[in-house]
Amino acid sequence: MTIQDRIWAVALVGIGLVALAFLYVISQASKPADANAASRSAHTAHRLRTLLFVALLTVFAVGSWATLRPFPIASQRSTSDAQQVVDVTAGQWYWKIDPDTVEVGRPVEFRVTSADVNHGFAIYAPDGHIATQTQAMPGYTNVLRYRFEEPGTYTVQCLEFCGLGHAPMLVTLQVAAPMLQ
Ligand SMILES: [Cu+2]
Protein backbone atom coordinates (compact mmCIF):
# COMPACT_ATOMS: atom_id res chain seq x y z
CA MET A 1 0.00 0.00 0.00
CA THR A 2 1.55 3.31 -1.04
CA ILE A 3 1.52 6.35 1.24
CA GLN A 4 -1.06 7.96 -1.09
CA ASP A 5 -3.37 4.95 -0.70
CA ARG A 6 -3.04 5.17 3.09
CA ILE A 7 -3.84 8.89 3.04
CA TRP A 8 -6.86 8.15 0.87
CA ALA A 9 -8.05 5.44 3.26
CA VAL A 10 -7.66 7.71 6.31
CA ALA A 11 -9.43 10.58 4.52
CA LEU A 12 -12.33 8.35 3.42
CA VAL A 13 -12.80 6.94 6.94
CA GLY A 14 -12.73 10.49 8.33
CA ILE A 15 -15.31 11.68 5.78
CA GLY A 16 -17.48 8.66 6.63
CA LEU A 17 -17.37 9.46 10.36
CA VAL A 18 -18.31 13.10 9.73
CA ALA A 19 -21.17 11.96 7.47
CA LEU A 20 -22.43 9.58 10.21
CA ALA A 21 -22.38 12.43 12.73
CA PHE A 22 -24.41 14.59 10.33
CA LEU A 23 -26.94 11.77 9.76
CA TYR A 24 -27.31 11.26 13.51
CA VAL A 25 -27.94 14.99 14.11
CA ILE A 26 -30.50 15.08 11.27
CA SER A 27 -32.30 11.99 12.65
CA GLN A 28 -32.47 13.53 16.15
CA ALA A 29 -33.44 17.05 15.05
CA SER A 30 -37.18 16.36 14.80
CA LYS A 31 -37.47 14.83 18.32
CA PRO A 32 -38.86 17.06 21.10
CA ALA A 33 -36.29 18.27 23.63
CA ASP A 34 -36.03 16.42 26.94
CA ALA A 35 -34.23 18.47 29.61
CA ASN A 36 -33.01 15.44 31.61
CA ALA A 37 -31.71 13.60 28.56
CA ALA A 38 -30.01 16.80 27.33
CA SER A 39 -28.20 17.29 30.63
CA ARG A 40 -27.19 13.58 30.76
CA SER A 41 -25.76 13.68 27.26
CA ALA A 42 -23.93 16.95 28.00
CA HIS A 43 -22.35 15.23 30.99
CA THR A 44 -21.33 12.21 28.88
CA ALA A 45 -19.89 14.50 26.20
CA HIS A 46 -17.85 16.35 28.80
CA ARG A 47 -16.40 13.09 30.15
CA LEU A 48 -15.63 11.82 26.65
CA ARG A 49 -13.83 15.09 25.81
CA THR A 50 -11.74 14.86 28.97
CA LEU A 51 -10.87 11.22 28.25
CA LEU A 52 -9.96 12.02 24.64
CA PHE A 53 -7.79 14.94 25.76
CA VAL A 54 -5.89 12.80 28.26
CA ALA A 55 -5.49 10.01 25.68
CA LEU A 56 -4.14 12.41 23.01
CA LEU A 57 -1.82 14.07 25.52
CA THR A 58 -0.45 10.67 26.53
CA VAL A 59 0.01 9.53 22.92
CA PHE A 60 1.85 12.73 21.97
CA ALA A 61 3.98 12.83 25.12
CA VAL A 62 5.05 9.17 24.82
CA GLY A 63 5.50 9.48 21.03
CA SER A 64 7.65 12.62 21.34
CA TRP A 65 9.74 11.09 24.09
CA ALA A 66 10.29 7.86 22.16
CA THR A 67 11.06 9.43 18.78
CA LEU A 68 13.11 12.45 19.89
CA ARG A 69 15.43 10.65 22.30
CA PRO A 70 17.98 9.73 19.62
CA PHE A 71 18.31 13.48 18.94
CA PRO A 72 20.28 13.93 15.70
CA ILE A 73 22.12 17.06 16.82
CA ALA A 74 25.18 16.79 19.04
CA SER A 75 25.18 18.56 22.36
CA GLN A 76 26.88 21.87 21.55
CA ARG A 77 28.74 22.15 24.84
CA SER A 78 29.86 18.61 25.61
CA THR A 79 33.45 17.56 25.05
CA SER A 80 33.85 15.34 22.04
CA ASP A 81 35.71 12.11 21.43
CA ALA A 82 36.00 12.90 17.73
CA GLN A 83 39.53 12.22 16.52
CA GLN A 84 39.00 14.29 13.39
CA VAL A 85 38.06 17.96 13.45
CA VAL A 86 37.09 19.86 10.30
CA ASP A 87 36.76 23.65 10.35
CA VAL A 88 34.10 24.90 7.97
CA THR A 89 33.48 28.51 6.98
CA ALA A 90 30.73 29.44 4.55
CA GLY A 91 30.71 32.72 2.66
CA GLN A 92 29.19 34.39 -0.38
CA TRP A 93 29.82 32.22 -2.29
CA TYR A 94 32.38 29.68 -1.26
CA TRP A 95 33.19 26.99 1.28
CA LYS A 96 36.42 26.84 3.25
CA ILE A 97 36.85 23.30 4.53
CA ASP A 98 39.98 22.34 6.40
CA PRO A 99 40.98 19.57 6.03
CA ASP A 100 38.96 18.42 3.00
CA THR A 101 39.68 14.74 3.57
CA VAL A 102 38.42 12.63 6.47
CA GLU A 103 38.66 8.97 7.30
CA VAL A 104 35.74 6.56 7.09
CA GLY A 105 34.47 4.85 10.25
CA ARG A 106 35.84 7.35 12.78
CA PRO A 107 33.79 10.20 14.24
CA VAL A 108 34.31 13.61 12.65
CA GLU A 109 33.50 16.91 14.30
CA PHE A 110 32.60 19.72 11.93
CA ARG A 111 32.81 23.23 13.40
CA VAL A 112 30.63 25.24 11.11
CA THR A 113 30.37 29.02 10.91
CA SER A 114 29.77 31.74 8.34
CA ALA A 115 31.75 34.80 7.30
CA ASP A 116 28.69 36.80 6.24
CA VAL A 117 25.05 35.64 6.04
CA ASN A 118 23.27 32.40 7.01
CA HIS A 119 24.12 29.39 4.87
CA GLY A 120 23.07 25.75 5.06
CA PHE A 121 25.90 23.24 5.37
CA ALA A 122 24.77 19.95 3.84
CA ILE A 123 26.92 16.93 3.01
CA TYR A 124 25.58 14.87 0.13
CA ALA A 125 26.67 11.24 -0.12
CA PRO A 126 27.87 9.92 -3.51
CA ASP A 127 24.39 8.40 -4.12
CA GLY A 128 22.77 11.86 -3.76
CA HIS A 129 21.12 11.60 -0.34
CA ILE A 130 21.91 14.08 2.44
CA ALA A 131 24.23 12.40 4.94
CA THR A 132 24.04 15.19 7.51
CA GLN A 133 23.51 18.95 7.70
CA THR A 134 23.49 22.01 9.95
CA GLN A 135 23.24 25.79 9.72
CA ALA A 136 26.27 27.99 9.05
CA MET A 137 25.60 31.15 11.06
CA PRO A 138 27.70 34.33 11.31
CA GLY A 139 29.16 34.89 14.77
CA TYR A 140 28.38 31.38 15.96
CA THR A 141 29.96 27.95 15.55
CA ASN A 142 27.65 24.99 15.17
CA VAL A 143 29.13 21.64 16.15
CA LEU A 144 28.09 18.76 13.92
CA ARG A 145 29.28 15.23 14.64
CA TYR A 146 29.07 12.49 12.09
CA ARG A 147 30.67 9.16 11.30
CA PHE A 148 30.96 8.27 7.63
CA GLU A 149 30.19 4.62 6.92
CA GLU A 150 31.07 4.62 3.21
CA PRO A 151 34.20 6.01 1.57
CA GLY A 152 33.80 8.16 -1.51
CA THR A 153 33.54 11.67 -2.88
CA TYR A 154 30.92 13.60 -0.93
CA THR A 155 29.60 17.01 -1.99
CA VAL A 156 29.04 19.96 0.33
CA GLN A 157 26.19 22.14 -0.85
CA CYS A 158 24.47 25.22 0.53
CA LEU A 159 20.90 24.52 1.67
CA GLU A 160 19.82 28.08 2.33
CA PHE A 161 19.33 30.64 -0.40
CA CYS A 162 22.07 33.20 0.18
CA GLY A 163 22.15 35.28 -2.99
CA LEU A 164 23.06 35.04 -6.67
CA GLY A 165 25.90 32.54 -6.24
CA HIS A 166 23.93 30.15 -4.03
CA ALA A 167 23.27 27.33 -6.52
CA PRO A 168 26.87 26.72 -7.65
CA MET A 169 28.14 27.01 -4.06
CA LEU A 170 29.57 23.53 -3.70
CA VAL A 171 32.79 21.80 -2.88
CA THR A 172 33.86 18.17 -2.48
CA LEU A 173 34.80 16.33 0.68
CA GLN A 174 36.83 13.15 0.36
CA VAL A 175 35.99 10.30 2.70
CA ALA A 176 39.01 8.03 2.53
CA ALA A 177 39.32 4.35 3.34
CA PRO A 178 40.96 3.68 6.72
CA MET A 179 44.67 4.39 6.65
CA LEU A 180 46.75 1.38 7.69
CA GLN A 181 48.72 1.97 10.85
CU1 LIG B 1 23.20 29.39 -0.21
Side-chain angles (χ1 to χ4, degrees):
M1 200 183 211
T2 67
I3 185 95
Q4 281 87 352
D5 290 337
R6 272 181 226 178
I7 292 168
W8 264 114
V10 169
L12 286 176
V13 169
I15 291 168
L17 288 175
V18 172
L20 280 179
F22 268 90
L23 288 176
Y24 177 75
V25 169
I26 291 167
S27 74
Q28 297 295 306
S30 54
K31 294 196 176 161
D34 170 352
N36 278 335
S39 122
R40 266 202 312 277
S41 68
H43 184 69
T44 311
H46 179 75
R47 285 190 52 188
L48 277 177
R49 264 206 312 276
T50 310
L51 264 175
L52 187 64
F53 175 73
V54 171
L56 281 177
L57 198 66
T58 310
V59 166
F60 279 108
V62 171
S64 303
W65 180 80
T67 55
L68 289 178
R69 252 162 49 95
F71 199 59
I73 295 166
S75 162
Q76 298 295 298
R77 290 179 208 286
S78 71
T79 52
S80 126
D81 57 347
Q83 301 103 327
Q84 314 180 85
V85 173
V86 178
D87 287 307
V88 178
T89 305
Q92 287 169 312
W93 291 280
Y94 59 87
W95 291 106
K96 264 199 274 182
I97 295 186
D98 183 32
D100 61 3
T101 301
V102 295
E103 200 181 310
V104 76
R106 289 167 59 211
V108 186
E109 179 170 305
F110 294 94
R111 296 178 183 160
V112 184
T113 191
S114 166
D116 39 49
V117 299
N118 267 9
H119 299 272
F121 172 73
I123 302 177
Y124 284 78
D127 68 1
H129 83 266
I130 295 179
T132 186
Q133 63 95 24
T134 191
Q135 282 271 308
M137 296 148 71
Y140 190 83
T141 300
N142 269 319
V143 173
L144 177 68
R145 296 197 188 115
Y146 189 72
R147 197 169 64 189
F148 294 91
E149 304 293 350
E150 296 285 334
T153 301
Y154 288 64
T155 310
V156 170
Q157 244 180 296
C158 183
L159 275 193
E160 183 156 336
F161 184 71
C162 54
L164 279 181
H166 164 74
M169 186 172 155
L170 38 91
V171 77
T172 54
L173 175 76
Q174 297 299 331
V175 177
M179 295 148 200
L180 294 173
Q181 318 248 329

